[in-house]
Amino acid sequence: MTFAITQNCCTDAACVAVCPVNCIHPAPGERDFGATEMLYIDPAACIDCGACADACPVDAVRPAEELTPAQQPYAAINAAYFERSGQPEPREAVDHGPNFHAWGTPDFERVLPADFAPLRVAIVGTGPAGMYAAEDLLLHTRSQVTLVDRLPAPGGLIRYGVAPDHLATKRIGETFARFHTHPRVRMHLGLDVGSHVTAAELAAHHDAVIYAVGAATDRRLGIPGEDLPGSIAATRFVAWYNAHPEVAPDAVALSADRVVVVGNGNVALDVARILACDPTALTGTAVAGHALDELRRSKVREVVLLGRRGPEHAACTGTELLALKNLPGVDLVVDDHDPRVGTAIDAAGAAQKAALFRDVPREAVDWSTPPDPSGQRRRIVFRFHSEPLEMRGDENLRAVRATGGAGEQEIPAGLALRAVGYRGVPQSGLPFDEGSGTVPHERGRVTGLPGTYVVGWIKRGPSGGIGANRRCAAETVGTLLADAVAGRLPAPTGGARAFHRLARRRR
Ligand code: NAP
């Protein structure tokens, strides 16, 4: 028996560090690391010790013999990676020491001299980016960490972004939560930097500040009718079903039979899955009670995913697409409105994402017919090469006008979710690049602001899954420590206690 990595791999490579036979790839230091959707176990080299399964923070590593029917393709997917890429170049055996998450030999820059006074570092944001940075500082240095979050509960996108039925992925929150009560951590929840305390006050009480504030708003489409009632950002819908405190329980009504989702990234797939699945399957997940009630009353029978490019460019990962194909009680259909769609699917190589659509029925969808009048089946329609031009309606959305192979078409829909990506917002006291929605930086150091750093989506833009933040945090923390050693951090004027008193007073 061997092990296989499955759908919810977070790619943070915690498994690689504990594998005694180096059979998990691509590994840190290898060319493909960070470029693949997931990591893979070589079945020819796996010795079945299960160390990787114990270390996996999202429960993605499973004995191949115990894969569920939906997970079974992953045995072949793991093996296929090694057939395609050949034997990965060998990595030298590394002594990882006591730090379970270390990948390799620490770089010179990241090692603080033994007599170096512990740093006091504030981290703004308790999502994965902030927590990987905290973990790095706490496990590799004697730093004291002040965790700050504007919301009353920690977790960021783990709590309010990861889909509620992805319970294994949400489990990584437990790994991070161990650090909330670390003896060198002080956490301030419900504290907004910018309104309760200023960036300057936070900086004045710490040696360094790391901003891990993510991308707090949605990208805009810039088309007429975008703000009609019934047209909402998918990010808001996601926040609604995850019980975000700033989204009202009645913010979403599922009274339409058809929903159009603009975009086909993983957020689009998440919202399509939640809308189309049998709500009884969500019982026992992390879904908000108010959302589950509304989903039980839902009239939605069809979800249309609009992709402006072809199936070969679908933004979702193959793993999430595969999971959607296995959703009980839900049919998938590809809208055959444009000959380029079928051509791309038929021409796709076996390892390419578009090949996953090969066994999905194609149909020239007639939008004048309401979705399944009997109301028994639900379906998800993939419509490629179709760009939204206008949201139409008077008091509420009535239809989405979109391009198509046979010209423009109106797709009747009472709800549209714009899943075209997140966007960073300016952070008070920090420079901001309007074009990219990020804070300008050099290897994590904010341009022109000594002692201030960024990590995660506010640093590199809103893409990449949870594990990408680990690599991103390693770079930022490395820069911070190098600056500390080189004497480039401004001296704080206030102490830890003074900051905690200030925070308590202002909140
Ligand atoms: P995304 O992956 O960037 O997808 C955005 C989608 O919107 C793409 O289909 C894009 O099309 C489309 N789009 C952008 N601008 C558009 C426009 N003006 N008109 C029409 N379509 C437009 O963003 P996301 O889905 O928000 O995901 C963000 C990141 O979080 C991704 O890295 C994702 O993998 C990750 N995530 C992962 C999971 C998971 O692992 N389960 C779940 C949620 C999110 P083009 O491709 O043509 O630009």
Side-chain angles (χ1 to χ4, degrees), residues 175-205:
T175 307
F176 295 140
R178 292 179 310 158
F179 296 104
H180 296 162
T181 50
H182 189 285
R184 281 184 279 122
V185 168
R186 183 82 185 252
M187 186 153 66
H188 292 279
L189 297 174
L191 183 72
D192 186 26
V193 178
S195 59
H196 295 127
V197 292
T198 64
E201 285 169 332
L202 188 62
H205 290 84

mmCIF file of all heavy atoms in Angstrom, residues 175-205:
data_model
loop_
_atom_site.group_PDB
_atom_site.id
_atom_site.type_symbol
_atom_site.label_atom_id
_atom_site.label_comp_id
_atom_site.label_asym_id
_atom_site.label_seq_id
_atom_site.Cartn_x
_atom_site.Cartn_y
_atom_site.Cartn_z
ATOM 1 N N THR A 175 -3.924 24.343 13.093
ATOM 2 C CA THR A 175 -2.458 24.436 13.134
ATOM 3 C C THR A 175 -2.050 25.864 13.499
ATOM 4 O O THR A 175 -1.174 26.080 14.333
ATOM 5 C CB THR A 175 -1.871 24.065 11.749
ATOM 6 O OG1 THR A 175 -2.393 22.806 11.371
ATOM 7 C CG2 THR A 175 -0.360 24.024 11.773
ATOM 8 N N PHE A 176 -2.695 26.826 12.867
ATOM 9 C CA PHE A 176 -2.348 28.218 13.153
ATOM 10 C C PHE A 176 -2.782 28.623 14.563
ATOM 11 O O PHE A 176 -2.111 29.410 15.224
ATOM 12 C CB PHE A 176 -3.007 29.150 12.123
ATOM 13 C CG PHE A 176 -2.505 28.974 10.720
ATOM 14 C CD1 PHE A 176 -3.374 29.022 9.632
ATOM 15 C CD2 PHE A 176 -1.148 28.767 10.467
ATOM 16 C CE1 PHE A 176 -2.905 28.863 8.333
ATOM 17 C CE2 PHE A 176 -0.665 28.605 9.170
ATOM 18 C CZ PHE A 176 -1.554 28.653 8.101
ATOM 19 N N ALA A 177 -3.923 28.084 15.002
ATOM 20 C CA ALA A 177 -4.461 28.494 16.313
ATOM 21 C C ALA A 177 -3.510 28.127 17.453
ATOM 22 O O ALA A 177 -3.533 28.760 18.507
ATOM 23 C CB ALA A 177 -5.837 27.867 16.531
ATOM 24 N N ARG A 178 -2.659 27.113 17.235
ATOM 25 C CA ARG A 178 -1.693 26.768 18.295
ATOM 26 C C ARG A 178 -0.828 27.969 18.645
ATOM 27 O O ARG A 178 -0.341 28.088 19.758
ATOM 28 C CB ARG A 178 -0.769 25.629 17.830
ATOM 29 C CG ARG A 178 -1.460 24.298 17.665
ATOM 30 C CD ARG A 178 -0.502 23.262 17.179
ATOM 31 N NE ARG A 178 0.232 23.762 16.007
ATOM 32 C CZ ARG A 178 1.391 23.300 15.594
ATOM 33 N NH1 ARG A 178 1.977 22.336 16.238
ATOM 34 N NH2 ARG A 178 1.977 23.800 14.524
ATOM 35 N N PHE A 179 -0.620 28.850 17.675
ATOM 36 C CA PHE A 179 0.263 29.989 17.931
ATOM 37 C C PHE A 179 -0.470 31.157 18.587
ATOM 38 O O PHE A 179 0.165 32.078 19.079
ATOM 39 C CB PHE A 179 0.936 30.440 16.624
ATOM 40 C CG PHE A 179 1.846 29.371 16.075
ATOM 41 C CD1 PHE A 179 1.465 28.601 14.995
ATOM 42 C CD2 PHE A 179 3.065 29.107 16.681
ATOM 43 C CE1 PHE A 179 2.288 27.598 14.512
ATOM 44 C CE2 PHE A 179 3.895 28.101 16.213
ATOM 45 C CZ PHE A 179 3.509 27.339 15.128
ATOM 46 N N HIS A 180 -1.807 31.119 18.571
ATOM 47 C CA HIS A 180 -2.541 32.230 19.204
ATOM 48 C C HIS A 180 -2.237 32.296 20.697
ATOM 49 O O HIS A 180 -2.290 33.356 21.298
ATOM 50 C CB HIS A 180 -4.060 32.060 19.016
ATOM 51 C CG HIS A 180 -4.488 32.116 17.583
ATOM 52 N ND1 HIS A 180 -5.710 31.640 17.154
ATOM 53 C CD2 HIS A 180 -3.858 32.579 16.473
ATOM 54 C CE1 HIS A 180 -5.806 31.815 15.843
ATOM 55 N NE2 HIS A 180 -4.701 32.384 15.409
ATOM 56 N N THR A 181 -1.972 31.130 21.282
ATOM 57 C CA THR A 181 -1.746 31.089 22.730
ATOM 58 C C THR A 181 -0.268 30.833 23.053
ATOM 59 O O THR A 181 0.062 30.453 24.175
ATOM 60 C CB THR A 181 -2.607 29.979 23.369
ATOM 61 O OG1 THR A 181 -2.400 28.777 22.615
ATOM 62 C CG2 THR A 181 -4.078 30.334 23.349
ATOM 63 N N HIS A 182 0.585 31.010 22.091
ATOM 64 C CA HIS A 182 2.027 30.832 22.310
ATOM 65 C C HIS A 182 2.476 31.841 23.390
ATOM 66 O O HIS A 182 2.014 32.984 23.400
ATOM 67 C CB HIS A 182 2.752 31.089 20.984
ATOM 68 C CG HIS A 182 4.199 30.733 21.000
ATOM 69 N ND1 HIS A 182 5.146 31.514 21.627
ATOM 70 C CD2 HIS A 182 4.877 29.692 20.462
ATOM 71 C CE1 HIS A 182 6.341 30.966 21.474
ATOM 72 N NE2 HIS A 182 6.201 29.849 20.778
ATOM 73 N N PRO A 183 3.382 31.428 24.281
ATOM 74 C CA PRO A 183 3.780 32.353 25.354
ATOM 75 C C PRO A 183 4.416 33.655 24.856
ATOM 76 O O PRO A 183 4.425 34.650 25.582
ATOM 77 C CB PRO A 183 4.787 31.543 26.172
ATOM 78 C CG PRO A 183 5.030 30.270 25.429
ATOM 79 C CD PRO A 183 3.937 30.087 24.437
ATOM 80 N N ARG A 184 4.928 33.662 23.624
ATOM 81 C CA ARG A 184 5.523 34.918 23.136
ATOM 82 C C ARG A 184 4.570 35.677 22.204
ATOM 83 O O ARG A 184 4.992 36.533 21.434
ATOM 84 C CB ARG A 184 6.855 34.618 22.429
ATOM 85 C CG ARG A 184 7.997 34.396 23.419
ATOM 86 C CD ARG A 184 9.327 34.209 22.720
ATOM 87 N NE ARG A 184 9.489 32.848 22.241
ATOM 88 C CZ ARG A 184 9.708 32.515 20.971
ATOM 89 N NH1 ARG A 184 9.788 33.451 20.059
ATOM 90 N NH2 ARG A 184 9.849 31.257 20.628
ATOM 91 N N VAL A 185 3.269 35.325 22.272
ATOM 92 C CA VAL A 185 2.283 36.004 21.410
ATOM 93 C C VAL A 185 1.279 36.759 22.265
ATOM 94 O O VAL A 185 0.821 36.265 23.294
ATOM 95 C CB VAL A 185 1.538 34.973 20.524
ATOM 96 C CG1 VAL A 185 0.327 35.612 19.848
ATOM 97 C CG2 VAL A 185 2.470 34.407 19.465
ATOM 98 N N ARG A 186 0.939 37.940 21.838
ATOM 99 C CA ARG A 186 -0.166 38.680 22.428
ATOM 100 C C ARG A 186 -1.113 39.015 21.276
ATOM 101 O O ARG A 186 -0.676 39.532 20.248
ATOM 102 C CB ARG A 186 0.395 39.962 23.069
ATOM 103 C CG ARG A 186 -0.613 40.801 23.771
ATOM 104 C CD ARG A 186 -0.887 40.275 25.175
ATOM 105 N NE ARG A 186 -1.952 41.029 25.776
ATOM 106 C CZ ARG A 186 -1.776 41.895 26.753
ATOM 107 N NH1 ARG A 186 -0.576 42.081 27.267
ATOM 108 N NH2 ARG A 186 -2.799 42.558 27.250
ATOM 109 N N MET A 187 -2.381 38.676 21.433
ATOM 110 C CA MET A 187 -3.313 38.862 20.305
ATOM 111 C C MET A 187 -4.335 39.948 20.640
ATOM 112 O O MET A 187 -4.901 39.951 21.731
ATOM 113 C CB MET A 187 -4.022 37.542 19.997
ATOM 114 C CG MET A 187 -4.885 37.624 18.758
ATOM 115 S SD MET A 187 -5.091 36.020 17.931
ATOM 116 C CE MET A 187 -6.017 35.129 19.138
ATOM 117 N N HIS A 188 -4.551 40.842 19.693
ATOM 118 C CA HIS A 188 -5.568 41.893 19.845
ATOM 119 C C HIS A 188 -6.601 41.727 18.740
ATOM 120 O O HIS A 188 -6.315 42.018 17.566
ATOM 121 C CB HIS A 188 -4.935 43.277 19.726
ATOM 122 C CG HIS A 188 -4.030 43.609 20.859
ATOM 123 N ND1 HIS A 188 -4.489 44.068 22.079
ATOM 124 C CD2 HIS A 188 -2.693 43.522 20.970
ATOM 125 C CE1 HIS A 188 -3.469 44.261 22.881
ATOM 126 N NE2 HIS A 188 -2.362 43.931 22.244
ATOM 127 N N LEU A 189 -7.789 41.253 19.094
ATOM 128 C CA LEU A 189 -8.860 41.101 18.107
ATOM 129 C C LEU A 189 -9.775 42.314 18.172
ATOM 130 O O LEU A 189 -9.863 42.989 19.197
ATOM 131 C CB LEU A 189 -9.646 39.816 18.388
ATOM 132 C CG LEU A 189 -8.821 38.526 18.267
ATOM 133 C CD1 LEU A 189 -9.641 37.322 18.693
ATOM 134 C CD2 LEU A 189 -8.294 38.345 16.854
ATOM 135 N N GLY A 190 -10.447 42.591 17.056
ATOM 136 C CA GLY A 190 -11.354 43.747 17.014
ATOM 137 C C GLY A 190 -10.591 45.058 17.072
ATOM 138 O O GLY A 190 -11.128 46.084 17.478
ATOM 139 N N LEU A 191 -9.327 45.035 16.657
ATOM 140 C CA LEU A 191 -8.502 46.250 16.684
ATOM 141 C C LEU A 191 -8.147 46.614 15.245
ATOM 142 O O LEU A 191 -7.463 45.843 14.553
ATOM 143 C CB LEU A 191 -7.225 46.003 17.499
ATOM 144 C CG LEU A 191 -6.319 47.226 17.664
ATOM 145 C CD1 LEU A 191 -6.954 48.237 18.626
ATOM 146 C CD2 LEU A 191 -4.943 46.814 18.203
ATOM 147 N N ASP A 192 -8.628 47.770 14.807
ATOM 148 C CA ASP A 192 -8.416 48.159 13.407
ATOM 149 C C ASP A 192 -7.264 49.154 13.311
ATOM 150 O O ASP A 192 -7.324 50.234 13.913
ATOM 151 C CB ASP A 192 -9.718 48.792 12.874
ATOM 152 C CG ASP A 192 -9.629 49.094 11.388
ATOM 153 O OD1 ASP A 192 -8.846 48.424 10.690
ATOM 154 O OD2 ASP A 192 -10.335 50.017 10.928
ATOM 155 N N VAL A 193 -6.226 48.741 12.571
ATOM 156 C CA VAL A 193 -5.105 49.662 12.359
ATOM 157 C C VAL A 193 -5.553 50.653 11.290
ATOM 158 O O VAL A 193 -5.884 50.269 10.168
ATOM 159 C CB VAL A 193 -3.836 48.904 11.911
ATOM 160 C CG1 VAL A 193 -2.697 49.885 11.641
ATOM 161 C CG2 VAL A 193 -3.437 47.876 12.951
ATOM 162 N N GLY A 194 -5.578 51.919 11.657
ATOM 163 C CA GLY A 194 -6.110 52.921 10.728
ATOM 164 C C GLY A 194 -7.237 53.679 11.388
ATOM 165 O O GLY A 194 -7.411 54.868 11.162
ATOM 166 N N SER A 195 -8.015 52.993 12.252
ATOM 167 C CA SER A 195 -9.048 53.741 12.982
ATOM 168 C C SER A 195 -8.817 53.688 14.498
ATOM 169 O O SER A 195 -8.775 54.725 15.151
ATOM 170 C CB SER A 195 -10.458 53.271 12.616
ATOM 171 O OG SER A 195 -10.635 51.915 12.901
ATOM 172 N N HIS A 196 -8.605 52.495 15.074
ATOM 173 C CA HIS A 196 -8.357 52.445 16.527
ATOM 174 C C HIS A 196 -6.937 52.899 16.870
ATOM 175 O O HIS A 196 -6.728 53.645 17.822
ATOM 176 C CB HIS A 196 -8.555 51.019 17.057
ATOM 177 C CG HIS A 196 -9.963 50.529 16.948
ATOM 178 N ND1 HIS A 196 -10.296 49.350 16.340
ATOM 179 C CD2 HIS A 196 -11.129 51.073 17.356
ATOM 180 C CE1 HIS A 196 -11.603 49.174 16.384
ATOM 181 N NE2 HIS A 196 -12.129 50.216 16.996
ATOM 182 N N VAL A 197 -5.962 52.400 16.122
ATOM 183 C CA VAL A 197 -4.576 52.860 16.302
ATOM 184 C C VAL A 197 -4.030 53.193 14.909
ATOM 185 O O VAL A 197 -4.469 52.611 13.911
ATOM 186 C CB VAL A 197 -3.661 51.783 16.952
ATOM 187 C CG1 VAL A 197 -4.047 51.514 18.385
ATOM 188 C CG2 VAL A 197 -3.643 50.492 16.153
ATOM 189 N N THR A 198 -3.103 54.108 14.852
ATOM 190 C CA THR A 198 -2.547 54.454 13.545
ATOM 191 C C THR A 198 -1.368 53.530 13.232
ATOM 192 O O THR A 198 -0.794 52.899 14.132
ATOM 193 C CB THR A 198 -2.030 55.913 13.525
ATOM 194 O OG1 THR A 198 -0.941 56.002 14.454
ATOM 195 C CG2 THR A 198 -3.121 56.906 13.907
ATOM 196 N N ALA A 199 -1.018 53.504 11.942
ATOM 197 C CA ALA A 199 0.148 52.712 11.523
ATOM 198 C C ALA A 199 1.393 53.230 12.242
ATOM 199 O O ALA A 199 2.270 52.453 12.651
ATOM 200 C CB ALA A 199 0.308 52.810 10.011
ATOM 201 N N ALA A 200 1.475 54.555 12.424
ATOM 202 C CA ALA A 200 2.651 55.148 13.080
ATOM 203 C C ALA A 200 2.723 54.704 14.546
ATOM 204 O O ALA A 200 3.810 54.406 15.061
ATOM 205 C CB ALA A 200 2.581 56.663 12.976
ATOM 206 N N GLU A 201 1.555 54.659 15.219
ATOM 207 C CA GLU A 201 1.551 54.217 16.633
ATOM 208 C C GLU A 201 1.984 52.756 16.743
ATOM 209 O O GLU A 201 2.755 52.386 17.633
ATOM 210 C CB GLU A 201 0.150 54.398 17.235
ATOM 211 C CG GLU A 201 -0.178 55.849 17.539
ATOM 212 C CD GLU A 201 -1.643 56.063 17.892
ATOM 213 O OE1 GLU A 201 -2.512 55.281 17.428
ATOM 214 O OE2 GLU A 201 -1.926 57.027 18.618
ATOM 215 N N LEU A 202 1.480 51.934 15.825
ATOM 216 C CA LEU A 202 1.850 50.512 15.856
ATOM 217 C C LEU A 202 3.359 50.371 15.639
ATOM 218 O O LEU A 202 4.048 49.638 16.369
ATOM 219 C CB LEU A 202 1.075 49.769 14.753
ATOM 220 C CG LEU A 202 1.183 48.248 14.732
ATOM 221 C CD1 LEU A 202 0.637 47.640 16.018
ATOM 222 C CD2 LEU A 202 0.422 47.682 13.522
ATOM 223 N N ALA A 203 3.873 51.109 14.659
ATOM 224 C CA ALA A 203 5.311 51.037 14.347
ATOM 225 C C ALA A 203 6.152 51.541 15.521
ATOM 226 O O ALA A 203 7.203 50.965 15.830
ATOM 227 C CB ALA A 203 5.604 51.842 13.085
ATOM 228 N N ALA A 204 5.666 52.579 16.189
ATOM 229 C CA ALA A 204 6.462 53.183 17.270
ATOM 230 C C ALA A 204 6.615 52.239 18.463
ATOM 231 O O ALA A 204 7.517 52.425 19.282
ATOM 232 C CB ALA A 204 5.799 54.490 17.725
ATOM 233 N N HIS A 205 5.745 51.244 18.575
ATOM 234 C CA HIS A 205 5.799 50.316 19.719
ATOM 235 C C HIS A 205 6.407 48.959 19.356
ATOM 236 O O HIS A 205 6.386 48.045 20.170
ATOM 237 C CB HIS A 205 4.398 50.100 20.302
ATOM 238 C CG HIS A 205 3.869 51.311 21.010
ATOM 239 N ND1 HIS A 205 3.244 52.336 20.362
ATOM 240 C CD2 HIS A 205 3.898 51.662 22.327
ATOM 241 C CE1 HIS A 205 2.886 53.265 21.228
ATOM 242 N NE2 HIS A 205 3.271 52.877 22.437
#
